[in-house]
DNA sequence: GCGGGATATGCCGCTGGCCGACCTATGCTG
DNA sequence: CAGCATAGGTCGGCCAGCGGCATATCCCGC
């Protein structure tokens, strides 16, 4: 696995599923919440991402239920999904740390 | 400024210019080095990114010179560029920390 | 002296994730 | 009954990055 770049919306979807399985709309709310209102996923982005993650085996369907006449499709992070997310966290952390180090090497308005 | 997502190659270009001005090929080497050989920028990606960053005012031309008959175009991070990179670092750090927190809430193979 | 890699810059066509807009449907609240 | 939250989805287009290619010089090994 070459760990190619993962875009932010996709990363946040995996992140939202890291602690518990959720349904699509639940992921949307969770992402909005955990990004302090910064990232509002479009349904096109959300469902396309979930389809892609399902196809890649990073996420699996975790049952369906109907609440108040509305269908809910649940999704859960798989083990490969956890590994992938962990790898992404390491990449982001390393990138951020290195950039921060470089910024400190030459402070603003030197 | 809404700080929309910045892709990894672009982020690494800004990062490579954070400590000192460099020319295109120098940025390429620096990115390769600081990513431990993981990210080898294509010239199409590199020069397109530099053009875009110039147009956005995040990077400025910092002189040209000819060494061994080869032209070098130097680029430097501007103040807005520093601010933007700093904001990106904050975003990456926050995303990584939040994902990490969630992964720990439900450890692997629970 | 000749092929190949490093140095250095650049163009062109395509792909794929995301965005914007839109659609269907139910339940709750003002 | 209008409007919003909830819940799922489609479709067209944009654009950063990728892969391939072009150009040119310098240096090293054979």
């Amino acid at each position: 696995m070459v760990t190619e770049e993962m875009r932010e919306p996709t990363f946040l979807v995996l992140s939202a599923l890291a602690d518990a399985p959720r349904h699509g709309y639940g992921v949307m709310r969770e992402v909005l919440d955990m990004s302090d209102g910064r990232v509002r996923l479009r349904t096109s982005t959300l469902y396309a991402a979930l389809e892609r993650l399902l196809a890649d085996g990073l996420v699996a369907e975790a049952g369906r239920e109907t609440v108040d006449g509305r269908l809910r499709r649940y999704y859960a992070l798989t083990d490969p999904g956890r590994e992938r997310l962990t790898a992404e966290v390491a990449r982001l952390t390393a990138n951020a740390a290195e950039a921060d180090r470089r910024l400190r090497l030459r402070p603003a308005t030197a």
Side-chain angles (χ1 to χ4, degrees), chain A:
Chain A
M1 185 172 44
V2 271
T3 13
E4 72 284 358
E5 192 200 2
M6 175 179 289
R7 303 281 292 270
E8 191 181 33
T10 302
F11 175 85
L12 293 175
V13 167
L14 285 189
S15 195
L17 294 175
D19 61 325
R22 299 177 199 279
H23 63 283
Y25 198 81
V27 169
M28 227 180 68
R29 269 192 279 108
E30 196 69 12
V31 166
L32 186 64
D33 183 66
M34 86 176 132
S35 69
D36 288 315
R38 192 176 58 84
V39 180
R40 181 179 298 270
L41 290 182
R42 324 304 145 116
T43 58
S44 47
T45 301
L46 171 67
Y47 294 110
L50 286 171
E51 281 307 306
R52 202 175 348 109
L53 293 169
L54 279 172
D56 292 348
L58 302 184
V59 154
E61 263 209 65
R64 308 183 181 209
E65 62 173 353
T66 302
V67 177
D68 291 329
R70 292 192 202 92
L71 175 67
R72 284 182 178 176
R73 302 183 55 186
Y74 281 86
Y75 301 92
L77 198 60
T78 62
D79 281 350
R82 296 190 72 83
E83 285 173 39
R84 180 59 199 277
L85 183 54
T86 303
E88 283 297 308
V89 167
R91 183 176 66 80
L92 295 188
T93 303
N95 281 351
E98 179 63 18
D100 192 58
R101 192 182 68 82
R102 286 164 172 276
L103 281 167
R104 286 181 207 283
L105 280 177
R106 174 167 295 212
T109 53

